[in-house]
Amino acid sequence: MSYVPGQPPPLPPLTATFSGSRRDFFRLVSRGAAIELITLGFYRFWLATDIRRHLWVNTAVDGDPAEYTGRGKELLIGFLFAMAILTPIYLAYFLIGVEAERFKAFAGVPLVIAFYAFGQFAIYRARRYRLTRTVWRGIRFWMDGSGWAYAGRAMLWTLLTVLTLGLAWPWRAAALERYKMRHSHYGDLSGDFEGRGWEFFKRAWYLWVLAPLTLLLFPLFPFVYARLKAIEWRWWLSGIRFGGVRLDSKLPGSAFYGLYWKLIGWMMLFITAFGIYLFGVFILVERLVGKGADGLPQIEAVPNHAAFLAGLGLGYIVVVLSANVVMRLYLVRDVWATVLESVQVHGIEAMANVAAKGDLASALGEGFADGLDVAGF
C-alpha cells in the first residue's frame, strides 16, 4: 500500500493470535462428549456453540478478540425445521423402494442429486449463520446472496470436475469462494476473493498425479491429503479481502503432517482397544450362557445374546465419542491454531470507521448441514 501525503502512513501488517489453552479445549470437548452420551447426542448443538465461542474469543487481531453470539437452542430449532423438510423426502424414497424395486433404482439418481443440492445449500446457509454470529470490535459480519444460486453453481462446477477427473477442482473452489466472499460483509465493508484457480493448481498439481498411488500405498495418503489441505488453506486465506483489508498466509506445506499422523495413531489405538474390549465381553457372555446339553460352550449363541449386544453398543458409542474428542482436538483446535500462526493482516486501518449493517440469519442452514452431515465448525 503506497503512502499518500497528508494522510497517516499505513500500519505495518499485524499477526493474528490464538491464546486458547489446549487443556481447556480438551476439557470442553471431553465434558461435551460425556453429556452427548447422556443426552443421546442432542447436546451436540450446545457443544458446537461452546467450541466456536472458545475458538472465536481466543482469536485476536490488533489485540481485539472476536465474539461468537450464536446459541445452541438456535441450532436445535434449525435442525428440527430441517428434519421436517428432509424426513418426507427420506420417507417418499423408502415407500417407492417398497412399492417397486425398479422404481427405487430409477429414483436413486434424482435422490442423490437432490441431496447434493440440499447439501450445497446447507453449506452456504450455515456459513451465513456463522458469519452473522461473528462480531469484532462491536461490528457484526453478515452475508447476503442466495443459497440456491450457490447450490446451482456448485452442481455445475462439480459436474465439470467429474468430467475432467478432478482437474477442474481448483477453479471450482475459486469460483464458489468468490461467490461467497462477494456476498460477505463486515458492517458496510464488502468482501471479495482474489484467489485464482490457476494459482491453486500450480501449487498442488503434483498431488493430483500422486492421488492414484495413494490407493495402492496407504502411507502416502496422509502426506498427500495433509499437504493439499495446507496448500488450500494458504491459498484461500491469501485471497480474502474486505475493502482495503487483505490477509496473507505463510503456512508451510508440511504444517499438518504431524497432526494427521497423530490422529491416525489415536484411531488405531481406539480400534485395538475396542477389539480387546469386545473379546473380553465375548468371554464374559460365553461364561454367562454356559454350556449346552452336550457339555460344550454355546459359542454360536453369544453374538445374539442381549448382554453381548448391549456391551457391543456401549463400547461402540464410547469409541465413537472418544474418536470425536480426538478429531476435534487435532482437526479443529490444532488446525485453527496452526493456521492462525501463519496469518498476517494488512490494511487494518480500513476497518477503523466501519458502520454497523446487516441482519441476523436463521439457523435453518445449520440444520440442513447437520442433517446431511456436511456441517463445519
Side-chain angles (χ1 to χ4, degrees):
M1 184 178 295
S2 59
Y3 171 66
V4 179
Q7 294 185 4
L11 297 175
L14 302 173
T15 302
T17 60
F18 182 72
S19 57
S21 165
R22 202 166 187 271
R23 180 178 298 178
D24 290 344
F25 186 86
F26 177 75
R27 282 200 294 259
L28 187 154
V29 293
S30 298
R31 181 179 65 88
I35 301 177
E36 278 188 292
L37 178 61
I38 297 172
T39 61
L40 303 179
F42 271 91
Y43 185 72
R44 69 180 183 273
F45 306 106
W46 284 267
L47 177 58
T49 299
D50 289 341
I51 289 174
R52 291 171 188 168
R53 283 176 180 165
H54 175 89
L55 297 177
W56 267 241
V57 77
N58 287 294
T59 299
V61 176
D62 197 20
D64 294 314
E67 179 184 0
Y68 181 75
T69 62
R71 295 182 298 166
K73 182 179 179 181
E74 292 176 335
L75 298 184
L76 174 60
I77 294 174
F79 173 76
L80 294 177
F81 271 110
M83 286 298 97
I85 297 173
L86 293 175
T87 300
I89 298 177
Y90 283 110
L91 182 60
Y93 178 65
F94 173 76
L95 293 177
I96 291 174
V98 171
E99 184 66 24
E101 190 65 28
R102 60 189 179 93
F103 288 134
K104 181 180 179 181
F106 173 76
V109 173
L111 185 74
V112 169
I113 294 175
F115 277 1
Y116 184 78
F118 269 120
Q120 297 304 312
F121 170 83
I123 288 172
Y124 188 87
R125 290 297 299 267
R127 175 159 162 170
R128 182 176 178 177
Y129 170 81
R130 292 191 294 270
L131 208 59
T132 61
R133 266 62 176 184
T134 300
V135 179
W136 186 67
R137 288 182 173 175
I139 303 294
R140 186 183 306 277
F141 288 85
W142 58 285
M143 195 171 180
D144 54 17
S146 168
W148 291 119
Y150 174 84
R153 286 171 169 80
M155 292 176 71
L156 292 175
W157 274 106
T158 299
L159 177 61
L160 181 60
T161 301
V162 171
L163 294 177
T164 59
L165 301 179
L167 291 178
W169 178 265
W171 286 269
R172 176 190 184 275
L176 296 182
E177 192 59 40
R178 193 170 299 114
Y179 182 85
K180 286 185 284 190
M181 283 303 304
R182 287 179 177 176
H183 290 90
S184 300
H185 311 270
Y186 173 68
D188 60 357
L189 207 60
S190 296
D192 198 359
F193 185 72
E194 294 188 1
R196 296 292 181 265
W198 176 245
E199 296 171 356
F200 190 1
F201 182 77
K202 283 194 302 182
R203 298 177 187 179
W205 66 268
Y206 59 92
L207 298 177
W208 270 266
V209 176
L210 292 174
L213 294 177
T214 63
L215 300 177
L216 302 174
L217 301 172
F218 174 75
L220 277 178
F221 178 77
F223 289 107
V224 171
Y225 187 74
R227 193 168 191 87
L228 176 63
K229 297 306 294 183
I231 291 173
E232 185 177 21
W233 269 105
R234 179 172 177 171
W235 168 81
W236 174 68
L237 287 166
S238 298
I240 291 177
R241 304 288 185 271
F242 275 100
V245 182
R246 67 180 180 90
L247 302 186
D248 183 38
S249 172
K250 302 299 182 184
L251 188 70
S254 59
F256 300 147
Y257 287 166
L259 297 182
Y260 278 84
W261 277 110
K262 288 176 184 177
L263 178 64
I264 290 172
W266 277 105
M267 294 303 110
M268 293 178 66
L269 179 62
F270 287 145
I271 292 173
T272 303
F274 182 66
I276 295 173
Y277 163 81
L278 205 57
F279 178 75
V281 172
F282 187 93
I283 297 299
L284 290 175
V285 174
E286 181 189 8
R287 293 181 178 179
L288 178 65
V289 171
K291 298 181 179 180
D294 55 2
L296 298 175
Q298 302 184 68
I299 296 178
E300 68 281 356
V302 173
N304 297 320
H305 197 279
F308 179 80
L309 294 176
L312 173 64
L314 178 61
Y316 176 78
I317 292 173
V318 171
V319 168
V320 169
L321 292 177
S322 300
N324 281 338
V325 169
V326 174
M327 291 176 66
R328 285 162 176 157
L329 184 64
Y330 287 109
L331 299 187
V332 178
R333 189 268 171 200
D334 287 356
V335 166
W336 183 281
T338 301
V339 168
L340 280 176
E341 289 177 358
S342 74
V343 175
Q344 287 190 324
V345 184
H346 300 258
I348 194 69
E349 61 273 11
M351 288 185 166
N353 298 308
V354 175
K357 192 177 180 181
D359 299 319
L360 291 176
S362 75
L364 179 61
E366 283 273 1
F368 275 121
D370 194 276
L372 295 168
D373 196 25
V374 295
F377 58 77

